[in-house]
């Protein structure tokens, strides 16, 4: 099932997408979408099916705006340097453990909401990724049990300001509205995820292409590692890293600029698409 957070007339709701329709679950909640809870990823397949059958309202997808499918209390963890071809292009040795940093909520926008190139820099780079959404509390999880704690998967664009990243990973990865996630979360029970293809396109041209099997640390290993140092709670997001092909390592560099469209497609999930604009 495709789980979404949607906005309409200044209110937010949770829902399930079925073709061109959204089955709204529960009531519309007045206020900003970023402040509204998002709980669907922690629901079991049976719960989702039951909610679907009792949906309060069924409306066209075109009548709502998709919001970032993240709970405001969720952590956003990101794994860096997790594909060997990316390590090769940035000339970094392989780590013995996942390299993890965090992103803030206001650094992420929803599907079809503009990504912002900040005034501070022209070096806005693209990184297409697969995102894990935790569905069950996870602490000190064994690798073999890690997938039992996944609620779903989504597409992620880890936009990066490269010259700031050189002196501060936190700054370089957290400029306002430089990343994106969505358009929805596909439930773990309905995503095969055996070895999905990941593709990033800039203005329709493929700039990154890989399969999940090319990760140095797979989804199980990433969840197990993160659960050792922080409790993973339902709704937490983990972006799993980007493959080679980033703009900063091209000659000349390929930076995103105003008017560009960046797309991240993950097989079996969908396509996250965002226009790039300059900060006002």
């Amino acid at each position: 099932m495709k789980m979404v957070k949607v906005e309409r007339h200044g209110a937010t709701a949770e829902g399930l997408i079925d073709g061109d329709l959204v089955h709204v679950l529960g009531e519309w909640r007045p206020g900003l979408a970023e402040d509204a809870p998002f709980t669907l990823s922690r629901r079991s397949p049976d719960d989702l099916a039951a909610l679907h059958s009792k949906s309060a309202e069924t409306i066209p997808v075109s009548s709502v705006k998709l919001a970032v499918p993240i709970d405001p209390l969720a952590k956003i963890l990101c794994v860096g340097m997790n594909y060997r071809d990316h390590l090769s292009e940035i000339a970094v040795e392989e780590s013995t453990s996942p390299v993890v940093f965090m992103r803030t909520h206001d650094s992420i926008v929803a599907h079809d909401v503009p990504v912002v190139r900040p005034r501070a820099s022209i070096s806005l780079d693209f990184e297409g990724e697969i995102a894990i959404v935790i569905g069950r509390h996870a602490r000190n999880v064994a690798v073999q049990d890690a997938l039992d704690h996944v609620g779903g998967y989504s597409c992620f664009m880890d936009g990066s300001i490269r010259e700031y990243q050189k002196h501060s990973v936190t700054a370089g990865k957290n400029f306002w509205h430089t990343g994106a996630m969505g358009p929805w979360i596909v439930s773990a029970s309905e995503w095969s995820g055996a070895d999905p293809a990941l593709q990033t396109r800039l203005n329709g041209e493929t700039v990154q292409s890989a399969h999940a099997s090319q990760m140095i640390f797979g989804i199980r290993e990433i969840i197990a590692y993160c659960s050792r140092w922080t409790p993973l709670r339902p709704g937490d997001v983990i972006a799993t890293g980007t493959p080679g092909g980033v703009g900063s390592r091209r000659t000349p560099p390929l930076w995103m600029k105003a008017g560009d469209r960046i797309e991240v497609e993950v097989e079996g999930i969908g396509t996250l698409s965002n226009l790039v604009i300059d900060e006002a």
Side-chain angles (χ1 to χ4, degrees):
M1 294 184 179
K2 295 176 179 176
M3 300 172 274
V4 290
K5 182 190 282 191
V6 293
E7 297 178 80
R8 187 183 68 175
H9 308 316
T12 307
E14 297 178 289
L16 298 172
I17 286 187
D18 184 4
D20 295 328
L21 300 174
V22 177
H23 297 272
V24 178
L25 309 179
E27 298 181 353
W28 289 90
R29 186 185 179 98
L32 299 174
E34 54 262 39
D35 296 330
F38 187 71
T39 62
L40 294 185
S41 61
R42 69 190 67 176
R43 302 278 191 164
S44 70
D46 288 344
D47 284 346
L48 289 174
L51 288 170
H52 183 280
S53 67
K54 299 176 182 177
S55 62
E57 185 181 7
T58 300
I59 55 178
V61 175
S62 58
S63 69
V64 297
K65 178 181 176 183
L66 298 180
V68 184
I70 300 180
D71 188 271
L73 298 179
K75 294 188 284 287
I76 306 173
L77 308 179
C78 301
V79 179
M81 301 181 289
N82 198 31
Y83 286 77
R84 290 187 176 86
D85 60 345
H86 182 47
L87 285 184
S88 178
E89 69 182 357
I90 63 176
V92 173
E93 292 186 4
E94 187 174 315
S95 174
T96 56
S97 298
V99 176
V100 183
F101 57 92
M102 300 185 75
R103 286 198 73 131
T104 60
H105 282 251
D106 67 359
S107 73
I108 305 295
V109 299
H111 170 72
D112 214 26
V113 172
V115 164
V116 178
R117 185 174 70 167
R119 294 181 187 180
S121 173
I122 65 166
S123 63
L124 176 57
D125 207 348
F126 48 82
E127 294 191 15
E129 309 194 12
I130 300 169
I132 308 162
V133 183
I134 298 299
R136 288 177 51 214
H137 187 277
R139 179 65 169 162
N140 293 314
V141 171
V143 170
Q144 64 268 24
D145 299 326
L147 294 186
D148 295 338
H149 298 266
V150 178
Y153 299 88
S154 191
C155 307
F156 199 90
M157 201 287 290
D158 183 30
S160 308
I161 303 299
R162 294 304 188 193
E163 73 262 36
Y164 276 76
Q165 194 178 339
K166 290 177 182 178
H167 58 78
S168 170
V169 172
T170 298
K173 293 289 189 176
N174 282 285
F175 271 78
W176 180 75
H177 284 197
T178 50
M181 179 180 163
W184 41 66
I185 297 169
V186 173
S187 60
S189 62
E190 293 197 6
W191 189 55
S192 62
D195 189 20
L198 165 66
Q199 189 176 90
T200 309
R201 294 185 294 272
L202 184 62
N203 300 323
E205 179 182 347
T206 299
V207 288
Q208 292 180 292
S209 184
H211 282 81
S213 60
Q214 295 171 255
M215 292 181 191
I216 297 169
F217 301 100
I219 290 171
R220 294 174 185 269
E221 289 79 15
I222 290 169
I223 293 170
Y225 174 81
C226 290
S227 76
R228 287 181 214 140
W229 60 270
T230 186
L232 297 175
R233 296 184 171 88
D236 286 351
V237 174
I238 308 176
T240 56
T242 200
V246 297
S248 60
R249 297 298 164 164
R250 295 170 181 257
T251 306
L254 179 60
W255 305 123
M256 292 189 287
K257 62 185 185 304
D260 286 348
R261 181 161 291 276
I262 185 70
E263 297 174 304
V264 178
E265 181 177 2
V266 179
E267 184 180 6
I269 295 177
T271 302
L272 169 66
S273 179
N274 300 86
L275 182 70
V276 180
I277 63 172
D278 282 336
E279 185 176 10

